[in-house]
Amino acid sequence: MNMIERQLQNAVNKLVAWCNNNGHSISAEKTRVHFCRKRNIHLDPNIEIRNAPIPVVNEIRRLGVIFDRKLAFLSHILHLRKKCEISLNILKVLSRTSWGADRTSLLRVYQAVALSRIDYGCIMYGSARATVLRRLDTIHHSALRICSGAFRTSPVESLYVICHLLPLHFRRQKISALYFFRAQSVPKHPISQLTLPVSLRRLCCSSLSHSALL
């Protein structure tokens, strides 16, 4: 850990020197250190900018995804659930029986205002525990019931069939697989060297050959 801390400090020093030579400035007060680890074996690193320590934070948000210390993504999913609950109010207003929109229009609104939020970053937070990910399933099921006009006691399997939408865990697998297949088409992609099971490798090869024909 000490060697990693020294390497990080050397990298920060080089970055600060480059900024000074090119007319830029980095503030230690506006910079944050986020150290992820599963167990509290190692202490937080001490990184400085011009002898000013950089604060260490428990959570940090990057490109709309909240990362915590243990990469459990509980904070991100709770924040995402709260955002989606607000978006569901739009569906409740539009789903009036007298003048509301039809099922197709409601599903399009749901996919635009809520489901797109859930899909974004699912490649990252999809590694969270199943109990944490199930917090988003209630949002998905509530939206499908609003769009289809089904009762609360209706089984969710029938909602998937009526609305022609996949369960969230299948959607995460689908999006992750599509991302991996696109990465395989780029020779210098960082994850292009990862190995796949035989079944997925065949699917990847068939997908790439189909794209080449198109």
Side-chain angles (χ1 to χ4, degrees), residues 61-80:
R61 184 172 182 175
R62 285 293 178 267
L63 299 177
V65 180
I66 301 175
F67 295 88
D68 55 87
R69 280 183 175 269
K70 296 185 178 181
L71 295 180
F73 294 102
L74 177 60
S75 301
H76 175 73
I77 290 178
L78 292 178
H79 176 75
L80 181 60

Side-chain angles (χ1 to χ4, degrees), residues 17-211:
W18 183 91
C19 292
N20 294 334
N21 295 331
N22 291 273
H24 300 283
S25 178
I26 299 179
S27 175
E29 297 178 354
K30 298 181 180 180
T31 309
R32 297 293 182 268
V33 173
H34 180 62
F35 182 43
C36 300
R37 56 189 181 274
K38 289 293 184 181
R39 293 176 294 179
N40 296 326
I41 298 178
H42 304 288
L43 299 177
D44 294 331
N46 184 20
I47 311 297
E48 299 179 351
I49 295 180
R50 291 185 291 271
N51 297 326
I54 303 177
V56 180
V57 295
N58 295 328
E59 296 178 355
I60 192 168
R61 184 172 182 175
R62 285 293 178 267
L63 299 177
V65 180
I66 301 175
F67 295 88
D68 55 87
R69 280 183 175 269
K70 296 185 178 181
L71 295 180
F73 294 102
L74 177 60
S75 301
H76 175 73
I77 290 178
L78 292 178
H79 176 75
L80 181 60
R81 177 189 171 95
K82 184 177 180 180
K83 288 286 187 180
C84 291
E85 287 177 348
I86 297 175
S87 300
L88 289 185
N89 294 331
I90 301 176
L91 294 178
K92 295 178 182 179
V93 173
L94 296 177
S95 61
R96 298 290 182 179
T97 56
S98 58
W99 52 269
D102 57 354
R103 181 190 304 170
T104 303
S105 300
L106 290 174
L107 287 174
R108 289 177 179 175
V109 173
Y110 168 59
Q111 293 176 3
V113 301
L115 191 56
S116 59
R117 294 176 181 268
I118 298 176
D119 291 342
Y120 178 77
C122 66
I123 300 176
M124 297 296 300
Y125 74 79
S127 60
R129 298 193 306 270
T131 55
V132 177
L133 294 174
R134 278 198 291 268
R135 296 173 182 264
L136 297 176
D137 291 341
T138 56
I139 298 294
H140 189 49
H141 299 160
S142 299
L144 296 184
R145 287 189 172 91
I146 294 174
C147 295
S148 61
F151 295 104
R152 290 187 176 182
T153 56
S154 301
V156 294
E157 290 78 9
S158 61
L159 298 178
Y160 297 143
V161 175
I162 293 174
C163 298
H164 303 286
L165 288 178
L166 293 173
L168 290 184
H169 62 278
F170 284 144
R171 288 186 65 88
R172 287 189 291 267
Q173 293 178 7
K174 177 183 176 181
I175 294 174
S176 300
L178 291 176
Y179 172 76
F180 185 83
F181 294 160
R182 287 195 299 267
Q184 290 295 312
S185 62
V186 181
K188 295 184 179 180
H189 198 279
I191 68 171
S192 60
Q193 303 300 325
L194 295 179
T195 58
L196 278 177
V198 178
S199 58
L200 290 180
R201 193 180 303 115
R202 293 175 180 173
L203 181 60
C204 177
C205 295
S206 62
S207 176
L208 293 177
S209 60
H210 179 69
S211 300

